[in-house]
Coordinates of all heavy atoms in Angstrom, one line a residue:
M1 N -20.6 0.9 -2.4 CA -21.7 0.5 -1.6 C -21.5 -0.7 -1.0 O -20.9 -1.6 -1.6 CB -23.1 0.5 -2.4 CG -23.3 1.9 -3.0 SD -23.9 3.1 -1.7 CE -25.6 3.0 -1.7
V2 N -22.1 -1.0 0.2 CA -22.1 -2.3 0.9 C -23.4 -2.9 1.0 O -24.3 -2.1 1.6 CB -21.4 -2.1 2.3 CG1 -21.2 -3.5 2.9 CG2 -20.1 -1.3 2.2
K3 N -23.6 -4.0 0.5 CA -24.9 -4.7 0.6 C -25.1 -5.4 2.0 O -24.2 -6.2 2.3 CB -25.2 -5.6 -0.5 CG -26.6 -6.2 -0.5 CD -26.9 -6.9 -1.8 CE -26.1 -8.4 -1.9 NZ -26.3 -8.9 -3.1
V4 N -26.2 -5.2 2.7 CA -26.5 -6.0 3.9 C -27.8 -6.6 3.7 O -28.9 -5.9 3.3 CB -26.5 -5.0 5.1 CG1 -26.7 -5.9 6.4 CG2 -25.1 -4.4 5.2
I5 N -28.0 -7.9 4.0 CA -29.1 -8.6 3.8 C -29.8 -8.8 5.3 O -29.0 -9.4 6.1 CB -28.9 -10.0 3.1 CG1 -28.4 -9.7 1.7 CG2 -30.2 -10.7 2.9 CD1 -27.7 -10.8 1.0
F6 N -31.0 -8.3 5.5 CA -31.6 -8.5 6.7 C -32.8 -9.6 6.5 O -33.5 -9.5 5.6 CB -32.3 -7.3 7.2 CG -31.4 -6.2 7.6 CD1 -30.7 -5.4 6.7 CD2 -31.0 -6.1 8.8 CE1 -29.8 -4.3 7.1 CE2 -29.9 -5.1 9.3 CZ -29.5 -4.2 8.4
I7 N -32.7 -10.6 7.3 CA -33.8 -11.7 7.2 C -34.7 -11.6 8.5 O -34.2 -11.7 9.5 CB -33.0 -13.0 7.0 CG1 -32.2 -13.1 5.8 CG2 -34.2 -14.2 7.0 CD1 -31.3 -14.3 5.7
K8 N -35.8 -11.4 8.2 CA -36.9 -11.2 9.3 C -37.2 -12.7 9.8 O -36.9 -13.6 9.3 CB -38.2 -10.7 8.8 CG -38.0 -9.3 8.3 CD -39.3 -8.6 8.0 CE -39.0 -7.1 7.6 NZ -40.1 -6.4 8.1
A9 N -37.8 -12.8 11.1 CA -38.0 -14.0 11.6 C -39.0 -14.9 10.8 O -39.0 -16.1 10.8 CB -38.6 -13.7 13.1
N10 N -39.7 -14.2 10.0 CA -40.8 -15.0 9.1 C -40.0 -15.3 7.8 O -40.7 -15.9 6.8 CB -42.0 -14.1 8.8 CG -41.7 -12.8 8.0 OD1 -40.5 -12.6 7.6 ND2 -42.7 -12.1 7.9
G11 N -38.7 -15.1 7.7 CA -38.0 -15.5 6.4 C -37.9 -14.5 5.3 O -37.3 -14.6 4.4
E12 N -38.7 -13.4 5.4 CA -38.7 -12.3 4.5 C -37.4 -11.6 4.5 O -36.8 -11.4 5.6 CB -39.9 -11.3 4.8 CG -40.0 -10.2 4.0 CD -41.0 -9.2 4.5 OE1 -41.9 -9.6 5.1 OE2 -40.9 -8.0 4.4
K13 N -36.9 -11.4 3.3 CA -35.6 -10.7 3.1 C -35.6 -9.3 2.8 O -36.5 -9.0 1.9 CB -34.8 -11.5 2.0 CG -34.0 -12.8 2.5 CD -33.1 -13.3 1.4 CE -32.6 -14.6 1.7 NZ -31.8 -15.2 0.7
R14 N -34.7 -8.5 3.2 CA -34.6 -7.2 2.7 C -33.1 -6.9 2.5 O -32.2 -7.0 3.3 CB -35.2 -6.2 3.7 CG -36.5 -6.2 3.9 CD -37.1 -5.0 4.4 NE -36.9 -3.8 3.7 CZ -37.3 -2.5 4.2 NH1 -37.9 -2.4 5.3 NH2 -37.0 -1.5 3.5
E15 N -32.8 -6.5 1.2 CA -31.4 -6.2 0.8 C -31.2 -4.7 0.8 O -32.0 -4.0 0.2 CB -31.2 -6.7 -0.5 CG -31.1 -8.3 -0.6 CD -30.5 -8.8 -1.9 OE1 -29.9 -8.0 -2.6 OE2 -30.5 -10.1 -2.1
L16 N -30.5 -4.3 1.6 CA -30.2 -2.9 1.7 C -28.8 -2.5 1.4 O -27.9 -3.2 1.5 CB -30.5 -2.4 3.2 CG -31.8 -2.6 3.7 CD1 -32.0 -2.2 5.1 CD2 -32.9 -1.9 2.8
E17 N -28.5 -1.2 1.1 CA -27.1 -0.8 0.8 C -26.7 0.5 1.7 O -27.6 1.3 2.0 CB -26.9 -0.5 -0.8 CG -27.1 -1.6 -1.6 CD -26.6 -1.3 -3.1 OE1 -27.0 -0.2 -3.5 OE2 -26.0 -2.1 -3.6
G18 N -25.5 0.4 2.1 CA -25.0 1.5 2.9 C -23.7 1.9 2.5 O -23.1 1.1 1.6
Q19 N -23.1 2.9 3.0 CA -21.7 3.4 2.6 C -20.8 2.9 3.6 O -21.1 2.7 4.8 CB -21.7 4.9 2.7 CG -22.5 5.7 1.7 CD -22.0 5.5 0.3 OE1 -20.8 5.0 0.2 NE2 -22.8 5.9 -0.6
P20 N -19.6 2.5 3.4 CA -18.6 2.1 4.3 C -18.5 3.3 5.4 O -18.6 4.5 5.2 CB -17.3 2.1 3.5 CG -17.6 1.8 2.1 CD -18.9 2.5 2.1
G21 N -18.5 2.9 6.7 CA -18.4 3.7 7.9 C -19.8 3.9 8.5 O -19.9 4.2 9.6
Q22 N -20.9 3.6 7.7 CA -22.3 3.6 8.3 C -22.3 2.4 9.2 O -21.6 1.4 8.9 CB -23.3 3.6 7.3 CG -23.7 4.8 6.7 CD -24.9 4.8 5.8 OE1 -25.0 4.1 4.9 NE2 -26.0 5.6 6.2
T23 N -23.3 2.3 10.0 CA -23.6 1.1 10.8 C -24.7 0.2 10.2 O -25.4 0.9 9.5 CB -23.7 1.3 12.3 OG1 -25.0 2.0 12.4 CG2 -22.7 2.2 12.9
A24 N -24.7 -1.0 10.5 CA -25.8 -1.8 10.0 C -27.2 -1.3 10.6 O -28.2 -1.3 9.9 CB -25.6 -3.2 10.4
M25 N -27.1 -0.8 11.8 CA -28.2 -0.2 12.5 C -28.8 1.0 11.8 O -30.0 1.2 11.5 CB -28.1 0.1 13.9 CG -29.1 0.9 14.6 SD -29.2 2.7 14.3 CE -28.0 3.3 15.5
E26 N -27.9 1.9 11.2 CA -28.3 3.1 10.6 C -29.1 2.8 9.3 O -30.0 3.5 9.0 CB -27.0 3.9 10.3 CG -26.5 4.6 11.6 CD -25.0 5.3 11.4 OE1 -24.4 4.9 10.5 OE2 -24.8 6.2 12.1
I27 N -28.5 1.9 8.4 CA -29.2 1.6 7.2 C -30.5 0.9 7.5 O -31.4 1.2 6.8 CB -28.3 0.9 6.3 CG1 -27.9 -0.6 6.6 CG2 -27.1 1.6 5.9 CD1 -27.3 -1.3 5.6
A28 N -30.6 0.1 8.4 CA -31.9 -0.5 8.8 C -32.9 0.5 9.2 O -34.1 0.5 8.7 CB -31.7 -1.6 10.1
R29 N -32.5 1.3 10.2 CA -33.4 2.4 10.6 C -33.8 3.3 9.5 O -35.0 3.8 9.3 CB -32.8 3.3 11.6 CG -32.6 2.5 13.0 CD -34.0 2.1 13.6 NE -35.0 3.1 13.8 CZ -36.4 2.8 13.7 NH1 -36.7 1.6 13.3 NH2 -37.1 3.7 13.8
N30 N -32.8 3.7 8.6 CA -33.1 4.6 7.4 C -34.2 3.9 6.6 O -34.8 4.6 5.8 CB -31.9 4.9 6.7 CG -31.0 5.9 7.5 OD1 -31.4 6.5 8.5 ND2 -29.7 6.0 7.1
A31 N -34.2 2.7 6.5 CA -35.1 1.9 5.5 C -36.3 1.5 6.1 O -37.2 0.9 5.5 CB -34.2 0.6 4.9
G32 N -36.5 1.9 7.5 CA -37.7 1.4 8.1 C -37.8 0.0 8.5 O -39.0 -0.5 8.5
V33 N -36.8 -0.6 8.9 CA -36.7 -2.0 9.4 C -37.3 -2.0 10.9 O -36.7 -1.4 11.7 CB -35.5 -2.6 9.3 CG1 -35.5 -4.2 9.9 CG2 -34.9 -2.7 7.8
D34 N -38.6 -2.4 11.1 CA -39.3 -2.1 12.2 C -38.7 -3.0 13.4 O -38.8 -2.6 14.6 CB -40.8 -2.7 12.1 CG -41.5 -1.7 11.2 OD1 -41.2 -0.6 11.0 OD2 -42.6 -2.1 10.6
E35 N -38.0 -4.0 13.1 CA -37.4 -4.8 14.2 C -36.2 -4.1 14.9 O -35.8 -4.6 16.0 CB -37.0 -6.1 13.7 CG -38.1 -7.1 13.3 CD -38.6 -6.8 11.9 OE1 -38.2 -5.8 11.3 OE2 -39.5 -7.6 11.4
I36 N -35.6 -3.1 14.2 CA -34.5 -2.4 14.8 C -35.1 -1.1 15.4 O -35.3 -0.2 14.7 CB -33.4 -2.1 13.8 CG1 -33.0 -3.4 13.0 CG2 -32.2 -1.3 14.4 CD1 -32.1 -4.3 13.9
Y37 N -35.3 -1.2 16.7 CA -35.8 0.0 17.3 C -34.7 1.1 17.6 O -34.9 2.1 17.4 CB -36.3 -0.4 18.8 CG -37.5 -1.3 18.8 CD1 -37.9 -1.9 19.8 CD2 -38.4 -1.4 17.6 CE1 -39.2 -2.7 19.9 CE2 -39.4 -2.1 17.5 CZ -39.8 -2.9 18.7 OH -40.8 -3.8 18.7
A38 N -33.4 0.6 18.0 CA -32.3 1.4 18.2 C -32.6 2.6 19.2 O -32.4 3.7 18.7 CB -31.8 2.0 16.9
E39 N -33.4 2.3 20.2 CA -33.8 3.4 21.2 C -32.7 4.5 21.6 O -32.9 5.7 21.9 CB -34.4 2.8 22.4 CG -35.9 2.2 22.1 CD -36.4 1.5 23.3 OE1 -35.7 1.3 24.3 OE2 -37.5 1.1 23.1
C40 N -31.5 4.1 21.7 CA -30.4 4.9 22.2 C -29.7 5.6 21.1 O -28.8 6.5 21.4 CB -29.4 4.1 23.1 SG -28.3 3.2 22.2
G41 N -30.1 5.2 19.9 CA -29.5 6.0 18.7 C -28.1 5.5 18.4 O -27.4 6.3 17.7
G42 N -27.6 4.4 18.9 CA -26.5 3.9 18.5 C -25.3 4.0 19.6 O -24.1 4.0 19.2
A43 N -25.7 4.4 20.7 CA -24.7 4.7 21.9 C -24.3 3.4 22.6 O -23.7 3.5 23.7 CB -25.4 5.8 22.8
C44 N -24.8 2.2 22.2 CA -24.5 1.1 22.8 C -25.0 1.0 24.2 O -24.4 0.4 25.2 CB -22.9 0.7 22.8 SG -22.5 -1.0 23.1
A45 N -26.2 1.5 24.4 CA -26.9 1.6 25.5 C -28.4 1.0 25.7 O -29.0 1.4 26.7 CB -26.8 3.0 26.1
C46 N -28.8 0.3 24.8 CA -30.0 -0.1 24.9 C -30.4 -1.6 24.4 O -31.3 -2.3 24.8 CB -31.1 0.7 23.9 SG -30.9 0.6 22.1
A47 N -29.5 -2.2 23.5 CA -29.7 -3.6 23.1 C -30.9 -3.7 22.1 O -31.3 -4.9 21.8 CB -29.7 -4.6 24.1
T48 N -31.6 -2.6 21.7 CA -32.9 -2.8 21.0 C -32.5 -2.8 19.5 O -33.3 -2.7 18.6 CB -33.9 -1.8 21.1 OG1 -33.3 -0.4 20.9 CG2 -34.3 -1.9 22.7
C49 N -31.2 -3.0 19.2 CA -30.7 -3.1 17.7 C -30.1 -4.4 17.5 O -29.3 -4.7 16.5 CB -29.7 -2.0 17.3 SG -28.1 -2.1 18.4
H50 N -30.5 -5.4 18.5 CA -29.9 -6.7 18.5 C -30.2 -7.4 17.1 O -31.3 -7.4 16.6 CB -30.6 -7.4 19.6 CG -30.2 -8.9 19.7 ND1 -31.2 -9.7 20.2 CD2 -29.2 -9.6 19.6 CE1 -30.6 -11.0 20.3 NE2 -29.5 -10.8 19.8
V51 N -29.2 -8.2 16.6 CA -29.3 -9.0 15.5 C -28.5 -10.3 15.7 O -27.6 -10.3 16.5 CB -28.8 -8.3 14.2 CG1 -29.7 -7.1 13.7 CG2 -27.4 -7.9 14.4
Y52 N -28.9 -11.3 14.8 CA -28.1 -12.6 14.7 C -27.3 -12.5 13.6 O -27.9 -12.3 12.5 CB -29.0 -13.8 14.8 CG -30.0 -13.8 16.0 CD1 -31.3 -13.9 15.8 CD2 -29.5 -13.8 17.2 CE1 -32.2 -13.9 16.7 CE2 -30.3 -13.9 18.3 CZ -31.7 -14.0 18.1 OH -32.6 -14.0 19.1
V53 N -25.9 -12.6 13.7 CA -25.2 -12.7 12.5 C -25.2 -14.1 11.9 O -25.0 -15.0 12.6 CB -23.7 -12.2 12.9 CG1 -22.8 -12.3 11.6 CG2 -23.6 -10.8 13.6
D54 N -25.3 -14.0 10.5 CA -25.3 -15.4 9.8 C -23.9 -16.1 10.2 O -22.9 -15.4 10.1 CB -25.5 -15.0 8.3 CG -25.4 -16.3 7.6 OD1 -24.4 -16.9 7.2 OD2 -26.5 -16.8 7.3
K55 N -24.0 -17.3 10.4 CA -22.8 -18.1 10.8 C -21.5 -17.9 9.7 O -20.6 -17.8 10.2 CB -23.1 -19.5 10.8 CG -23.9 -19.8 12.1 CD -24.0 -21.3 12.4 CE -24.6 -21.7 13.7 NZ -26.1 -21.2 13.7
A56 N -22.0 -17.8 8.4 CA -20.9 -17.7 7.5 C -20.2 -16.3 7.7 O -19.0 -16.1 7.2 CB -21.5 -17.7 6.1
W57 N -20.7 -15.3 8.4 CA -20.3 -14.0 8.6 C -19.7 -13.7 9.9 O -18.9 -12.7 10.2 CB -21.3 -12.9 8.2 CG -21.4 -12.9 6.8 CD1 -22.5 -13.5 6.0 CD2 -20.7 -12.1 5.8 NE1 -22.4 -13.2 4.7 CE2 -21.3 -12.4 4.6 CE3 -19.5 -11.2 5.8 CZ2 -20.8 -11.8 3.4 CZ3 -19.2 -10.8 4.7 CH2 -19.8 -11.0 3.5
A58 N -20.1 -14.6 10.9 CA -19.8 -14.2 12.3 C -18.3 -14.1 12.5 O -17.9 -13.1 13.3 CB -20.3 -15.4 13.2
D59 N -17.5 -14.9 11.9 CA -16.1 -14.7 12.2 C -15.4 -13.6 11.4 O -14.2 -13.3 11.6 CB -15.3 -16.1 11.8 CG -15.7 -17.1 12.7 OD1 -16.1 -16.9 13.9 OD2 -15.6 -18.4 12.3
K60 N -16.1 -13.1 10.5 CA -15.5 -11.9 9.6 C -15.7 -10.6 10.2 O -15.2 -9.6 9.9 CB -16.2 -12.0 8.3 CG -15.9 -13.2 7.5 CD -16.4 -13.1 6.2 CE -16.0 -14.3 5.3 NZ -17.0 -15.4 5.1
L61 N -16.4 -10.6 11.4 CA -16.6 -9.2 12.1 C -15.6 -9.2 13.3 O -15.2 -10.2 13.9 CB -18.0 -9.2 12.8 CG -19.3 -9.1 11.9 CD1 -20.5 -9.2 12.7 CD2 -19.2 -7.9 10.9
P62 N -15.2 -7.9 13.6 CA -14.2 -7.8 14.6 C -14.9 -8.2 15.9 O -16.2 -8.2 16.1 CB -13.9 -6.3 14.8 CG -14.5 -5.7 13.4 CD -15.5 -6.7 12.7
A63 N -14.2 -8.8 17.0 CA -14.8 -9.2 18.1 C -15.5 -8.0 18.8 O -15.1 -6.8 18.7 CB -13.8 -9.8 19.1
P64 N -16.6 -8.2 19.5 CA -17.2 -7.1 20.2 C -16.5 -6.4 21.3 O -15.6 -7.2 22.1 CB -18.6 -7.8 20.9 CG -18.2 -9.2 20.8 CD -17.3 -9.5 19.9
E65 N -16.5 -5.2 21.5 CA -15.8 -4.4 22.6 C -16.6 -4.8 23.9 O -17.8 -5.3 23.8 CB -16.0 -2.9 22.3 CG -15.3 -2.4 21.1 CD -13.8 -2.4 21.3 OE1 -13.3 -2.3 22.3 OE2 -13.2 -2.5 20.2
P66 N -16.0 -4.6 25.0 CA -16.6 -5.1 26.3 C -17.9 -4.6 26.5 O -18.9 -5.1 27.0 CB -15.6 -4.7 27.3 CG -14.1 -4.6 26.6 CD -14.4 -4.3 25.1
M67 N -18.0 -3.2 26.1 CA -19.3 -2.6 26.4 C -20.4 -3.2 25.6 O -21.6 -3.5 26.0 CB -19.2 -1.1 25.9 CG -20.2 -0.2 26.5 SD -19.7 1.6 26.1 CE -21.2 2.3 25.9
E68 N -20.1 -3.6 24.3 CA -21.1 -4.3 23.5 C -21.4 -5.7 24.1 O -22.6 -6.0 24.3 CB -20.7 -4.5 22.1 CG -21.7 -5.2 21.2 CD -21.3 -5.5 19.8 OE1 -20.1 -5.1 19.4 OE2 -22.0 -6.2 19.2
S69 N -20.4 -6.4 24.6 CA -20.7 -7.7 25.2 C -21.5 -7.6 26.5 O -22.5 -8.4 26.6 CB -19.3 -8.5 25.7 OG -18.5 -8.6 24.5
D70 N -21.3 -6.5 27.3 CA -22.1 -6.3 28.5 C -23.6 -6.0 28.1 O -24.5 -6.6 28.7 CB -21.5 -5.1 29.2 CG -20.2 -5.5 30.0 OD1 -19.9 -6.7 30.0 OD2 -19.6 -4.6 30.5
M71 N -23.8 -5.2 27.1 CA -25.1 -4.8 26.7 C -25.9 -5.9 26.1 O -27.1 -6.1 26.2 CB -25.0 -3.6 25.8 CG -26.4 -2.8 25.6 SD -27.3 -2.3 27.0 CE -26.0 -1.4 27.8
L72 N -25.1 -6.9 25.5 CA -25.9 -8.1 24.9 C -26.6 -8.9 25.9 O -27.4 -9.6 25.6 CB -24.8 -8.9 24.0 CG -24.6 -8.3 22.6 CD1 -23.4 -9.1 22.0 CD2 -25.8 -8.5 21.7
D73 N -26.1 -8.6 27.1 CA -26.8 -9.4 28.3 C -28.2 -9.0 28.3 O -29.0 -9.7 29.0 CB -26.0 -9.2 29.6 CG -24.7 -9.9 29.7 OD1 -24.4 -10.8 28.9 OD2 -23.8 -9.5 30.5
F74 N -28.5 -7.9 27.9 CA -29.9 -7.4 28.0 C -30.7 -7.5 26.8 O -31.8 -7.2 26.7 CB -29.9 -5.8 28.3 CG -29.2 -5.4 29.6 CD1 -27.8 -5.0 29.6 CD2 -29.9 -5.5 30.7 CE1 -27.2 -4.8 30.8 CE2 -29.3 -5.1 32.0 CZ -27.9 -4.9 32.0
A75 N -30.1 -8.1 25.8 CA -30.8 -8.6 24.5 C -31.9 -9.7 24.9 O -31.6 -10.6 25.7 CB -29.8 -9.0 23.5
V76 N -33.1 -9.5 24.1 CA -33.9 -10.6 24.1 C -33.6 -11.8 23.4 O -33.2 -11.6 22.2 CB -35.3 -10.2 23.7 CG1 -36.4 -11.2 23.8 CG2 -35.8 -8.8 24.4
D77 N -33.6 -13.0 24.1 CA -33.2 -14.3 23.4 C -31.9 -14.3 22.7 O -31.8 -14.5 21.5 CB -34.3 -14.7 22.4 CG -34.2 -16.1 21.8 OD1 -33.6 -16.8 22.6 OD2 -34.9 -16.4 20.8
P78 N -30.8 -13.9 23.4 CA -29.5 -13.8 22.7 C -29.0 -15.3 22.2 O -29.4 -16.3 22.9 CB -28.6 -13.3 23.8 CG -29.2 -13.6 25.1 CD -30.8 -13.6 24.8
R79 N -28.1 -15.4 21.3 CA -27.5 -16.5 20.8 C -26.0 -16.3 20.6 O -25.6 -15.1 20.7 CB -28.1 -16.8 19.4 CG -29.5 -17.1 19.4 CD -30.0 -17.5 18.0 NE -31.4 -17.5 17.9 CZ -32.1 -17.4 16.7 NH1 -31.3 -17.3 15.6 NH2 -33.4 -17.4 16.6
P80 N -25.2 -17.3 20.5 CA -23.8 -17.1 20.3 C -23.4 -16.1 19.2 O -22.4 -15.4 19.3 CB -23.2 -18.5 20.0 CG -24.3 -19.4 20.5 CD -25.7 -18.8 20.4
T81 N -24.2 -16.0 18.2 CA -23.9 -15.1 17.1 C -24.6 -13.7 17.3 O -24.6 -12.9 16.2 CB -24.3 -15.7 15.7 OG1 -25.8 -15.9 15.8 CG2 -23.5 -16.9 15.4
S82 N -25.0 -13.4 18.5 CA -25.8 -12.1 18.6 C -24.8 -10.9 18.6 O -23.7 -11.1 19.0 CB -26.4 -12.1 20.0 OG -27.6 -13.0 20.0
R83 N -25.2 -9.8 17.9 CA -24.3 -8.7 18.0 C -25.4 -7.5 18.0 O -26.6 -7.7 17.8 CB -23.5 -8.5 16.8 CG -22.5 -9.6 16.6 CD -21.4 -9.4 17.6 NE -20.7 -8.2 17.7 CZ -19.4 -8.1 17.1 NH1 -18.9 -9.1 16.4 NH2 -18.8 -7.0 17.2
L84 N -24.9 -6.3 18.5 CA -25.6 -5.1 18.3 C -25.4 -4.4 17.0 O -24.2 -4.1 16.7 CB -25.2 -4.3 19.5 CG -25.5 -4.7 20.9 CD1 -25.1 -3.8 22.0 CD2 -27.0 -5.1 21.0
S85 N -26.4 -4.3 16.2 CA -26.1 -3.7 14.8 C -25.5 -2.4 14.7 O -25.0 -1.9 13.8 CB -27.4 -3.8 14.0 OG -28.5 -3.0 14.6
C86 N -25.7 -1.5 15.9 CA -25.1 -0.2 16.0 C -23.6 -0.3 16.1 O -22.9 0.6 15.9 CB -25.8 0.6 17.0 SG -25.3 0.2 18.6
Q87 N -23.1 -1.5 16.4 CA -21.7 -1.5 16.5 C -21.1 -2.3 15.4 O -19.9 -2.6 15.4 CB -21.4 -2.4 17.9 CG -22.0 -1.7 19.1 CD -21.5 -0.3 19.3 OE1 -20.3 -0.1 19.4 NE2 -22.4 0.7 19.4
I88 N -21.9 -2.6 14.5 CA -21.3 -3.3 13.2 C -21.1 -2.3 12.2 O -22.1 -1.6 11.5 CB -22.4 -4.3 12.6 CG1 -22.5 -5.4 13.7 CG2 -21.7 -4.9 11.3 CD1 -23.6 -6.5 13.3
K89 N -19.9 -1.8 12.0 CA -19.5 -0.8 11.1 C -19.2 -1.4 9.8 O -18.5 -2.3 9.4 CB -18.2 0.0 11.4 CG -18.4 1.2 12.3 CD -17.5 2.3 11.8 CE -18.1 3.5 12.3 NZ -17.7 4.0 13.5
L90 N -19.9 -0.8 8.7 CA -19.8 -1.4 7.2 C -18.4 -1.1 6.6 O -18.0 0.1 6.8 CB -20.9 -0.8 6.4 CG -22.3 -1.1 6.9 CD1 -23.3 -0.6 5.8 CD2 -22.6 -2.6 7.2
T91 N -17.9 -2.1 6.0 CA -16.7 -2.0 5.2 C -16.8 -2.7 3.9 O -17.9 -3.5 3.8 CB -15.4 -2.7 6.0 OG1 -15.7 -4.0 6.0 CG2 -15.2 -2.0 7.3
E92 N -15.9 -2.5 2.9 CA -16.3 -3.2 1.6 C -16.1 -4.7 1.8 O -16.8 -5.4 1.1 CB -15.1 -2.7 0.7 CG -15.1 -1.3 0.3 CD -16.3 -0.8 -0.5 OE1 -17.0 -1.6 -1.1 OE2 -16.4 0.5 -0.7
Q93 N -15.4 -5.0 2.8 CA -15.2 -6.6 3.0 C -16.5 -7.2 3.6 O -16.6 -8.4 3.5 CB -14.1 -6.8 4.1 CG -12.7 -6.5 3.5 CD -12.3 -4.9 3.4 OE1 -12.9 -4.1 4.1 NE2 -11.5 -4.6 2.5
L94 N -17.3 -6.4 4.0 CA -18.6 -6.9 4.6 C -19.6 -6.9 3.6 O -20.9 -7.1 3.9 CB -19.0 -6.1 5.9 CG -18.1 -6.3 7.1 CD1 -18.6 -5.5 8.3 CD2 -18.0 -7.7 7.4
D95 N -19.4 -6.6 2.3 CA -20.4 -6.6 1.2 C -21.1 -8.0 1.3 O -20.5 -9.1 1.0 CB -19.7 -6.3 -0.1 CG -20.9 -6.1 -1.2 OD1 -21.9 -5.5 -0.9 OD2 -20.6 -6.6 -2.4
G96 N -22.4 -8.0 1.4 CA -23.2 -9.3 1.4 C -23.4 -9.7 2.8 O -24.1 -10.9 3.1
L97 N -23.0 -9.0 3.8 CA -23.2 -9.3 5.2 C -24.7 -9.7 5.5 O -25.6 -9.1 5.0 CB -22.9 -8.2 6.1 CG -23.3 -8.3 7.6 CD1 -22.3 -9.4 8.2 CD2 -23.0 -7.0 8.4
T98 N -25.0 -10.8 6.1 CA -26.4 -11.2 6.3 C -26.7 -11.3 7.8 O -25.9 -11.9 8.6 CB -26.6 -12.7 5.7 OG1 -26.2 -12.5 4.4 CG2 -27.9 -13.2 5.9
L99 N -27.7 -10.6 8.2 CA -28.1 -10.5 9.6 C -29.5 -11.0 9.8 O -30.4 -10.6 9.0 CB -28.0 -9.1 10.1 CG -26.7 -8.4 9.9 CD1 -26.7 -6.9 10.1 CD2 -25.5 -9.0 10.7
E100 N -29.8 -11.8 10.7 CA -31.2 -12.2 11.0 C -31.7 -11.3 12.1 O -31.0 -10.9 13.1 CB -31.2 -13.5 11.4 CG -30.7 -14.6 10.4 CD -30.6 -16.1 10.8 OE1 -31.4 -16.5 11.7 OE2 -29.8 -16.8 10.5
L101 N -32.9 -11.0 12.0 CA -33.7 -10.1 13.0 C -34.4 -11.0 14.0 O -35.0 -12.0 13.6 CB -34.6 -9.3 12.3 CG -34.0 -8.3 11.3 CD1 -35.0 -7.7 10.3 CD2 -33.4 -7.1 12.0
P102 N -34.3 -10.6 15.3 CA -35.1 -11.4 16.4 C -36.6 -11.2 16.1 O -37.0 -10.1 15.5 CB -34.6 -10.7 17.5 CG -33.5 -9.9 17.3 CD -33.6 -9.6 15.8
V103 N -37.4 -12.0 16.7 CA -38.8 -11.7 16.7 C -39.2 -10.6 17.5 O -40.1 -9.8 16.9 CB -39.6 -13.0 17.4 CG1 -41.0 -12.8 17.4 CG2 -39.3 -14.3 16.6
S104 N -38.6 -10.3 18.4 CA -39.0 -9.1 19.4 C -37.7 -8.4 20.0 O -36.7 -9.1 20.1 CB -39.9 -9.6 20.5 OG -40.0 -8.6 21.4
Q105 N -37.8 -7.1 20.1 CA -36.8 -6.4 20.8 C -37.3 -5.9 22.1 O -36.6 -5.2 22.8 CB -36.3 -5.3 20.0 CG -35.7 -5.6 18.5 CD -34.2 -6.1 18.6 OE1 -33.6 -6.4 19.6 NE2 -33.7 -6.3 17.3
G106 N -38.6 -6.2 22.3 CA -39.3 -5.6 23.4 C -39.0 -6.1 24.9 O -38.1 -7.1 24.9
Ligands
FES1 S1 -28.9 1.3 19.3 FE1 -28.8 1.2 21.4 S2 -27.4 -0.4 21.6 FE2 -27.4 -0.2 19.6

């Protein structure tokens, strides 16, 4: 299992677990994390699964594909560590990955 920690804008933490190969978006949606709308279902076409990767983890993720980078232009309030959680595939090496949730995805 791979643990992923989601931190809400109000500081509330949720620790979730997923299987390698699942995406961070999938485990968030399955657990009812409201901030992750994921309107396109993971097709990298909506940016409503936007998260901020904790700085300690940002370099441990593979660089975004061009399609993800383009879509991040549509994210609300993007930052240098912004990623689309549907494009973050869990691996054993990402155990403990920490993602902050934006205030709004609307
Ligand atoms: S779920 Fe739509 S871009 Fe990630």
Side-chain angles (χ1 to χ4, degrees):
M1 296 295 264
V2 182
K3 184 169 72 177
V4 182
I5 300 160
F6 290 88
I7 302 177
K8 297 185 176 215
N10 66 5
E12 185 186 322
K13 273 189 196 177
R14 289 198 62 181
E15 290 192 11
L16 303 177
E17 289 191 327
Q19 298 287 348
Q22 279 189 299
T23 67
M25 176 279 277
E26 287 169 339
I27 64 168
R29 288 305 300 152
N30 290 346
V33 174
D34 293 337
E35 289 83 352
I36 304 289
Y37 295 162
E39 284 174 355
C40 76
C44 199
C46 72
T48 62
C49 64
H50 173 215
V51 293
Y52 305 118
V53 179
D54 182 274
K55 284 190 177 68
W57 288 94
D59 291 344
K60 298 187 170 102
L61 295 179
E65 297 288 333
M67 198 169 149
E68 182 184 351
S69 295
D70 288 349
M71 195 49 60
L72 279 167
D73 290 341
F74 297 96
V76 177
D77 193 19
R79 299 180 193 161
T81 58
S82 288
R83 294 296 297 262
L84 297 180
S85 59
C86 71
Q87 303 302 303
I88 300 176
K89 269 225 162 81
L90 303 184
T91 64
E92 300 288 355
Q93 290 72 30
L94 292 180
D95 188 42
L97 176 67
T98 303
L99 304 172
E100 294 174 33
L101 296 161
V103 173
S104 165
Q105 304 276 9

